Amino acid sequence: MSIVTIRNVEFLNNPARFLDPYHFRVTFECIAPLPEDLEWRLIYVSSPGNEELDQELDDCLVGPVPVGVNSFEFEGSPPSPDKIPPEDVLGVAALILTGSYKDQEFVRVGYYQNTEYDNEEMNEAQPEPIRFDRLVRDINTKPRVTRFQIKWDVSPQRPGQAVSAGAATSAAVPSANDIDMEDAIDTNGTSS
Amino acid sequence: MKFTKPAWVMHNDSAMRGEQSKRLSIFSVHVHPDGSRIATGGLDAKVRIWSTKPILNEASEKSGRPPKSLCTLAMHTGPVLVVRWAHSGRWLASGSDDEIVMIWDLDPMARGRVWGSDEVNVEGWKPLKRLPGHESDVTDIAWSPGDRYLATVGLDSQVLIWCGFTLERLHKIDQHQGFVKGVCWDPVGEFLATGSDDRSVRIWRTTDWTLEAEVRKPFEHSPGTFFRRLSWSPDGAHITASNATNNEGYVFIAAVISRSTWTSEISLVGHENTVEVAAYNPHVFLRDPSQPVVAANICSVVALGADDRAVSVWQTKSARPLIVAKEVFERQIMDLSWSQDGLTLYAVSSDGTLAVFSFDTDELEGIAPQSAQEQYLKKFGFVTPPLPTGFSHQGQQNSRMTPPPSPGRTQQTQNDFDATVNGMGGEQINKLVAKRKTKKRIQPTLMPSSVPSAAVPSASNAPSSFAGTAASGASARSFGEVPALPPPPSARPPSSHSHAVSPFGAAAGFGDEDVEMFPYDMDMEVRISSLDTSTQASGAKGKRRAAEMNDGLVSAKPRTLGGDRVRESVQVKEIAAGVAGGGLSLYSGEPSLMSRLPVPSLLTYLKATIEGSEDVFEGRNPESEGVVEVLFASGGKQTQWLDYLPSPILAVAATPVFCAVAMQDGSVNVYSHTGRRMMPTLSIGSACSALSASRHFLMLLSCTGLLYVWNVKKQCSAFPPVSVSAILGSSPNCTIISSSVRPNGAPVIQLSNGVAHSYDTSLASWVKLTEVWWAEGSDAWQGRQRATQFASRGVLSALESSINEHTPPVDGAEKVRPTWWNAAMTLGHLEARLHAAKVLDSPQEYKQTLLLYAKKIADEGFRAKAEELVKELFGPVYWRPGRDESWSPATLGMSKRDLLKDVLAVFARSKTLTKLALDWQDMLKRAANGE
């Protein structure tokens, strides 16, 4: 059971130029108070075959995290061009966002990023050396999520800390027979 | 009665899409008190909520109104074993393999597309509270009458009682001595009943949570089951408990336990296998509806689900069931739930399907209204303890389930208002500020000396490599392969969810937890923060805690992997027929060999008995879903250890030194007798056709025709892999009849053409051990003797008689043979056999053959052969022990000169070689005297 569940990840500047910082917002739900900070990392994977070439773009801490739905914004520097093998610059690369608690990774979200020139001529001619200033990136917003079981180590609740006051405070549950599909679909779906 | 099985109610493997998606086991079902929705819990670690109208009403199913799937809750990280709606209908409780009980609450704002998946939740449910406390799988949950309490039970043998209002933990009952797999409340509110693998049902008082009674008799012989779900009758008079037996375990029953005497006089008999679950219809029934609601006039209706895949429904006034539904499921029934109106029964099975039985009121004779039960229960006069002050389950307007007008439309406007935030509508979101992680924290400047230097990353200059290695640990890195669920560790079968299907998957308990996810062993790595002096104290504390945890695990009795598991016999069945030569052209083997090296059939059960003991090494392949496992049982009974494998088992082999298992994917594991891997997993690359083991040696013949022999003790190969194509030849009719390895590592391969081969390492060549050719003229051919004479049967005589069986020699009696035929054939045969006995390390046969050979030479009077043989055995004339290392004085552990003595004795008795024998006997004597 994960205490933290990502509700949404939004890229606030996408598409963008290759050398622009990554700017995005993570919204997550936390169902128990966490005494320590959550750590989030953004990693750029240029060459899937070689882990050594991964670049950590940002590493930030968020906390203390209250119970409920939380969001934070996060800015990661662009990958350093000289650390990317020239043959891996164009085309598809991966962007990985990881969430950790107490040095244990509990979620890993992967995105595909496509990189190309901002004009057709360069895409066809492929200048040597690579003109990084003319590159643009586009992140496919469909996330690929892997969750990991970790030890959250939450201390047992103390009496009197109860969050609920009985089901009376909960919403009434209407009959499912009256639910209509049109009401429900795509009222909220913006992610894909 | 109407029966229906909605195919769309399923928990599927989210890695697959559409048609290919595989049905995963459903462990639990529960109907919402308003009857309009059900919740199910499955192997996919999800809770799913479905509307019932499309199940019960065909028009609704076709129109898609209301939507079939209402909500998917994916927060559990292990299979969901139980789901239970509160009586108020406002909350849903779920219990999982991940040790957590969750309380879910309706959240009108949480509708919409689920981030990171293709699911759309048309009804939003949010996690209200996480109830940690169980230390193993949570198997069953029950809300008490009026939702005053919540009881949860699990494989940690504990019963936990939570306040139904505050959701605080109130009490822990730890008196059960085995996994607890069922729980139910007395409708009066006075008692709680639990069913456990310790073969008891216990009844607890709700006033002080002490033991009221312990019922053992019906369960004395009860076998292991996935669940032991039990149910309390609505009139409070009886508990019907699953998994009871009569006649010392031969008759599977449900036991009906009477209130206050707590004895079981009534059995529900008829199921052909263990009863897994019992569920009472929530209504009381009247024997005579015209009479008043009094004890003597009350009866009840109870449904049973069993491992025989049948569901039965009983009315307690009759000794026979109302209905028995057989062949409804393909696997055992895991849970049953009655709708509140008492007319609909839902059943789920580990085959991954849901079935629904809808009754008419006249079919359920004497059904009384709910008020009759409420009225009747008052006679018990039990007063429930007062509620915690300020808490209530009742809404303000006392309107429990009032549907708000057009629920969808109202939210629509809200979403327009705040459309940027996906799936959260007008919900309140806390804005947090991300702090940049300062690299200072990981500067290794003031490094404590106790920190092993290997654990210190070069953090100051390479933060990214640190991120990739130290902290993310064992996680799957390759993004291109990141699946929606955690990737299975290598020791898991490819069907990543199959482990919990067999009743023992959950009973084994540990397997689920250990293999399921990626537990981070805190002791394995030094936490980075401990490198910093400012956080050193907390780091050290963390380490100490980890050490304490480990100490706690060390129990007084030595544990073994799977040692506490009940060993269950498995019927041997063929799952998939053997493939005639793993015959894919992808394999690198020679095409001509393909059809001749069959891969063995995939069986449910394979066994290798360890020579000279009762110990067995077993392999088990699941029939459809389940785990592939090997286990080692001493004396054929007690499981000593087990291991789970990623690929189905094709063959097992065992010797007094090691056990080996060959898998379909071409890998081979070699274990010691305590279950340790003695060698790395060998990757052969193609399935095995044959596996054999003897003492230290393991032999494998791949379906591509490569023969491997390994010395497990020395961890080396006896010779580089060699192809059998050289001996199999090109005739498609020549096949391998048997293949095995000798204790000295020599392979023995018998072909259908009547030739047996071994591979001689020093000659780097296949050698013929014996062949049917000799049968055509040799006096010494084993087949000439009667089968009963094989008292001291060696490997070669066994081979020869086997060749006789498989390849009857042509009867040469009628053929005209040349003069020297018989002599040449016999001598040739005996010479070949001498070499073979050496290759196969069979000293007895060597000596026996040598004497036969000497006799034949003597009989024929071949002096030159005789002299050469004598010289060969005598060696250099002046050889003395320790003098000349180039000549070996012994063969197969026998002294050559001692053998010579016996040979000369044979020669001495002959007519032609007496002189030769006497001369050499003299020589031997002189050599022995050191002259």
Side-chain angles (χ1 to χ4, degrees):
Chain A
M1 168 60 61
S2 178
I3 288 186
V4 172
T5 309
I6 297 186
R7 285 274 200 97
N8 197 16
V9 176
E10 294 155 89
F11 290 91
L12 303 174
N13 59 340
N14 187 49
R17 304 207 71 85
F18 187 78
L19 296 174
D20 285 351
Y22 290 90
H23 190 190
F24 58 97
R25 182 189 297 133
V26 177
T27 308
F28 64 93
E29 181 162 17
C30 178
I31 55 173
L34 293 174
E36 295 197 17
D37 289 351
L38 291 171
E39 182 171 355
W40 301 88
R41 284 197 183 85
L42 187 65
I43 300 162
Y44 181 80
V45 180
S46 60
S47 320
N50 187 356
E51 202 169 334
E52 307 256 302
L53 296 174
D54 290 3
Q55 295 189 42
E56 185 176 301
L57 305 180
D58 196 27
D59 183 352
C60 73
L61 297 171
V62 172
V65 178
V67 173
V69 180
N70 304 287
S71 79
F72 66 95
E73 289 181 14
F74 185 153
E75 206 176 271
S77 29
S80 141
D82 52 335
K83 288 185 187 150
I84 309 172
E87 66 274 18
D88 289 330
V89 171
L90 291 168
V92 178
L95 201 59
I96 293 175
L97 173 70
T98 69
S100 308
Y101 184 68
K102 291 189 176 181
D103 287 340
Q104 310 161 86
E105 185 176 312
F106 62 88
V107 70
R108 168 166 288 232
V109 187
Y111 293 94
Y112 286 115
Q113 167 179 328
N114 188 46
T115 306
E116 58 185 19
Y117 282 103
D118 57 6
N119 60 80
E120 279 308 310
E121 299 75 51
M122 282 187 176
N123 273 330
E124 270 164 37
Q126 306 243 340
E128 285 278 348
I130 296 170
R131 296 278 307 275
F132 282 94
D133 57 323
R134 299 304 300 273
L135 291 176
V136 287
R137 65 163 187 246
D138 193 355
I139 299 162
N140 180 333
T141 52
K142 187 183 162 105
R144 294 160 210 246
V145 188
T146 311
R147 296 184 176 91
F148 303 100
Q149 172 96 307
I150 66 162
K151 292 232 178 297
W152 291 94
D153 255 359
V154 176
S155 53
Q157 51 167 172
R158 288 177 293 279
Q161 244 197 344
V163 291
S164 93
T169 52
S170 293
V173 179
S175 169
N177 294 345
D178 305 323
I179 297 178
D180 208 331
M181 200 66 164
E182 281 109 60
D183 288 342
I185 289 194
D186 280 341
T187 51
N188 302 309
T190 55
S191 65
S192 58
Chain B
M1 187 205 71
K2 276 196 298 193
F3 169 79
T4 174
K5 263 188 111 171
W8 43 267
V9 172
M10 68 186 294
H11 285 247
N12 53 2
D13 198 338
S14 56
M16 309 273 210
R17 300 250 181 262
E19 301 286 301
Q20 291 173 320
S21 62
K22 193 166 161 255
R23 250 173 220 285
L24 299 175
S25 292
I26 304 181
F27 294 116
S28 187
V29 62
H30 201 234
V31 197
H32 188 269
D34 76 2
S36 73
R37 60 175 76 66
I38 55 168
T40 56
L43 191 55
D44 57 357
K46 287 175 181 146
V47 175
R48 291 178 188 270
I49 301 173
W50 314 86
S51 43
T52 54
K53 201 171 173 188
I55 297 176
L56 305 171
N57 179 318
E58 215 173 315
S60 163
E61 183 178 18
K62 283 195 181 122
S63 70
R65 286 178 194 212
K68 298 180 179 77
S69 169
L70 296 177
C71 187
T72 303
L73 301 170
M75 232 175 258
H76 278 292
T77 47
V80 178
L81 302 180
V82 57
V83 285
R84 296 290 181 259
W85 297 100
H87 296 99
S88 70
R90 298 196 173 194
W91 289 349
L92 171 68
S94 63
S96 157
D97 212 282
D98 67 11
E99 309 178 3
I100 297 297
V101 174
M102 279 302 298
I103 307 296
W104 306 90
D105 189 16
L106 186 75
D107 180 3
M109 308 301 170
R111 310 181 321 144
R113 197 169 290 282
V114 181
W115 180 81
S117 84
D118 292 338
E119 316 259 6
V120 175
N121 285 345
V122 299
E123 185 172 87
W125 288 82
K126 68 176 177 205
L128 177 75
K129 193 139 173 55
R130 177 181 184 267
L131 308 182
H134 279 286
E135 286 153 30
S136 189
D137 307 19
V138 179
T139 51
D140 206 7
I141 293 179
W143 293 91
S144 76
D147 299 331
R148 178 69 185 80
Y149 301 111
L150 178 69
T152 62
V153 299
L155 301 190
D156 56 2
S157 307
Q158 295 185 3
V159 182
L160 300 183
I161 312 294
W162 314 79
C163 174
F165 296 87
T166 64
L167 299 173
E168 285 172 288
R169 195 165 99 190
L170 300 176
H171 197 80
K172 174 165 102 179
I173 300 173
D174 54 8
Q175 281 148 268
H176 270 298
Q177 262 106 51
F179 300 152
V180 188
K181 295 176 170 177
V183 61
C184 70
W185 292 91
D186 162 24
V188 177
E190 198 176 357
F191 301 112
L192 170 73
T194 52
S196 163
D197 272 2
D198 67 9
R199 299 198 161 105
S200 72
V201 161
R202 300 190 195 202
I203 292 102
W204 315 91
R205 295 181 199 101
T206 58
T207 44
D208 55 2
W209 309 111
T210 54
L211 187 68
E212 161 80 11
E214 185 177 323
V215 185
R216 285 195 169 272
K217 201 159 170 286
F219 312 104
E220 273 166 4
H221 300 279
S222 80
T225 28
F226 207 105
F227 293 119
R228 289 171 180 265
R229 302 203 202 269
L230 65 181
S231 182
W232 209 304
S233 67
D235 61 348
H238 301 102
I239 301 167
T240 294
S242 57
N243 197 357
T245 60
N246 275 347
N247 290 8
E248 317 226 311
Y250 287 99
V251 178
F252 301 99
I253 62 161
V256 182
I257 300 164
S258 302
R259 191 191 192 93
S260 73
T261 66
W262 310 120
T263 53
S264 170
E265 311 298 340
I266 308 163
S267 312
L268 303 179
V269 188
H271 278 285
E272 288 158 22
N273 206 336
T274 323
V275 177
E276 194 88 40
V277 45
Y280 271 99
N281 186 303
H283 287 254
V284 295
F285 289 74
L286 300 177
R287 288 166 194 268
D288 181 350
S290 61
Q291 297 297 307
V293 186
V294 292
N297 192 30
I298 285 179
C299 63
S300 9
V301 168
V302 64
L304 303 178
D307 285 359
D308 64 1
R309 304 172 294 154
V311 174
S312 59
V313 179
W314 306 68
Q315 191 151 24
T316 48
K317 68 177 179 184
S318 162
R320 290 170 170 232
L322 279 176
I323 62 147
V324 179
K326 288 187 177 178
E327 316 282 325
V328 168
F329 293 108
E330 282 164 21
R331 294 180 68 99
Q332 62 262 60
I333 284 81
M334 298 265 107
D335 204 4
L336 296 167
S337 175
W338 286 93
S339 61
Q340 203 72 165
D341 62 10
L343 296 179
T344 314
L345 174 67
Y346 295 82
V348 290
S349 161
S350 60
D351 69 9
T353 62
L354 168 100
V356 186
F357 305 84
S358 308
F359 298 88
D360 286 333
T361 32
D362 55 338
E363 288 171 316
L364 294 174
E365 217 174 294
I367 188 164
Q370 205 121 35
S371 56
Q373 183 208 12
E374 284 161 26
Q375 201 62 38
Y376 177 78
L377 291 179
K378 281 184 186 156
K379 78 159 182 133
F380 287 88
F382 181 80
V383 183
T384 40
L387 306 187
T389 46
F391 293 100
S392 165
H393 285 320
Q394 297 288 320
Q396 267 79 18
Q397 293 94 29
N398 208 12
S399 57
R400 274 182 130 185
M401 285 162 216
T402 324
S406 183
R409 306 279 176 223
T410 46
Q411 271 106 49
Q412 186 100 47
T413 52
Q414 279 171 340
N415 287 322
D416 291 342
F417 174 67
D418 185 6
T420 51
V421 183
N422 174 33
M424 278 155 286
E427 189 172 36
Q428 194 212 325
I429 297 173
N430 307 311
K431 293 258 192 309
L432 304 179
V433 179
K435 298 166 276 190
R436 193 147 305 258
K437 187 169 181 186
T438 49
K439 307 296 188 222
K440 197 171 60 194
R441 276 183 68 186
I442 46 168
Q443 269 179 6
T445 43
L446 288 163
M447 187 173 65
S449 57
S450 63
V451 175
S453 59
V456 180
S458 52
S460 51
N461 52 13
S464 66
S465 76
F466 145 66
T469 55
S472 52
S475 62
R477 194 199 83 88
S478 168
F479 160 55
E481 294 164 6
V482 173
L485 284 172
S490 60
R492 295 205 53 195
S495 55
S496 66
H497 287 295
S498 48
H499 67 281
V501 175
S502 86
F504 288 85
F510 80 91
D512 298 342
E513 294 152 48
D514 288 352
V515 200
E516 185 62 30
M517 296 289 177
F518 297 91
Y520 280 72
D521 190 340
M522 294 173 73
D523 222 6
M524 291 272 289
E525 57 186 23
V526 176
R527 288 163 28 126
I528 301 304
S529 58
S530 71
L531 299 181
D532 187 338
T533 42
S534 65
T535 53
Q536 201 181 339
S538 70
K541 206 171 92 195
K543 277 191 78 182
R544 188 165 59 245
R545 189 166 59 236
E548 281 162 10
M549 273 162 54
N550 284 353
D551 289 348
L553 286 175
V554 181
S555 58
K557 202 176 109 199
R559 278 158 40 98
T560 54
L561 201 54
D564 58 342
R565 209 171 72 156
V566 185
R567 194 161 161 267
E568 195 197 27
S569 61
V570 178
Q571 204 187 342
V572 183
K573 274 191 219 159
E574 192 176 87
I575 301 166
V579 186
L584 296 173
S585 52
L586 290 171
Y587 287 136
S588 57
E590 293 170 44
S592 65
L593 294 178
M594 287 315 175
S595 56
R596 289 184 280 154
L597 293 169
V599 175
S601 304
L602 201 56
L603 302 174
T604 50
Y605 177 82
L606 302 96
K607 169 174 107 162
T609 307
I610 283 118
E611 204 186 319
S613 75
E614 304 251 299
D615 300 348
V616 288
F617 179 60
E618 301 178 344
R620 289 166 185 210
N621 291 313
E623 264 184 87
S624 51
E625 288 180 344
V627 284
V628 179
E629 61 179 26
V630 287
L631 61 90
F632 187 90
S634 67
K637 291 183 199 79
Q638 184 67 46
T639 302
Q640 290 292 317
W641 53 267
L642 50 74
D643 193 18
Y644 300 110
L645 302 176
S647 171
I649 299 164
L650 285 178
V652 292
T655 79
V657 180
F658 68 93
C659 307
V661 54
M663 288 162 262
Q664 209 170 33
D665 66 356
S667 46
V668 177
N669 278 359
V670 179
Y671 303 96
S672 71
H673 281 195
T674 57
R676 293 175 59 244
R677 282 173 175 70
M678 295 176 81
M679 299 209 287
T681 297
L682 302 165
S683 196
I684 306 306
S686 53
C688 88
S689 179
L691 186 74
S692 167
S694 187
R695 205 177 297 164
H696 299 305
F697 289 92
L698 175 66
M699 186 207 81
L700 182 141
L701 178 61
S702 77
C703 66
T704 54
L706 282 180
L707 182 81
Y708 299 78
V709 175
W710 299 279
N711 184 332
V712 172
K713 192 185 177 191
K714 290 187 181 163
Q715 307 215 6
C716 63
S717 70
F719 50 82
V722 59
S723 169
V724 294
S725 62
I727 54 169
L728 261 181
S730 55
S731 161
N733 297 319
C734 178
T735 55
I736 291 176
I737 289 173
S738 74
S739 53
S740 60
V741 66
R742 294 276 301 158
N744 69 338
V748 178
I749 297 196
Q750 187 191 339
L751 303 178
S752 63
N753 63 3
V755 186
H757 287 87
S758 185
Y759 187 79
D760 190 318
T761 316
S762 49
L763 297 174
S765 164
W766 290 99
V767 292
K768 281 185 178 177
L769 295 170
T770 185
E771 55 186 318
V772 72
W773 161 254
W774 305 120
E776 291 187 37
S778 167
D779 295 340
W781 183 253
Q782 197 68 46
R784 301 272 155 93
Q785 296 165 26
R786 297 180 55 143
T788 46
Q789 292 174 339
F790 302 145
S792 60
R793 193 166 139 140
V795 56
L796 282 166
S797 53
L799 259 179
E800 288 186 5
S801 44
S802 168
I803 288 178
N804 262 350
E805 277 168 38
H806 288 98
T807 324
V810 187
D811 192 356
E814 291 157 27
K815 284 193 186 167
V816 181
R817 299 296 193 189
T819 324
W820 294 103
W821 178 261
N822 174 262
M825 289 293 275
T826 306
L827 288 177
H829 178 214
L830 292 172
E831 285 163 8
R833 200 195 273 178
L834 284 173
H835 286 297
K838 274 199 214 171
V839 169
L840 300 185
D841 193 20
S842 177
Q844 272 70 40
E845 281 182 307
Y846 182 81
K847 188 172 175 182
Q848 210 179 357
T849 309
L850 184 68
L851 298 181
L852 267 177
Y853 181 61
K855 176 124 196 325
K856 188 70 187 173
I857 298 176
D859 287 353
E860 298 287 343
F862 294 142
R863 195 186 162 88
K865 277 191 186 237
E867 217 168 330
E868 196 177 273
L869 174 67
V870 169
K871 283 179 181 167
E872 188 189 303
L873 290 172
F874 190 83
V877 177
Y878 298 106
W879 184 86
R880 298 287 180 275
R883 189 154 165 196
D884 182 358
E885 299 303 325
S886 66
W887 185 72
S888 163
T891 184
L892 298 175
M894 298 178 291
S895 158
K896 285 182 183 172
R897 287 184 177 180
D898 286 352
L899 287 171
L900 179 58
K901 242 182 251 174
D902 295 336
V903 169
L904 292 176
V906 173
F907 287 170
R909 283 197 297 271
S910 73
K911 287 169 194 156
T912 51
L913 302 172
T914 321
K915 174 75 170 62
L916 179 90
L918 290 174
D919 288 353
W920 281 100
Q921 275 170 338
D922 194 37
M923 282 281 278
L924 265 179
K925 241 178 244 165
R926 278 197 271 161
N929 295 338
E931 289 169 27

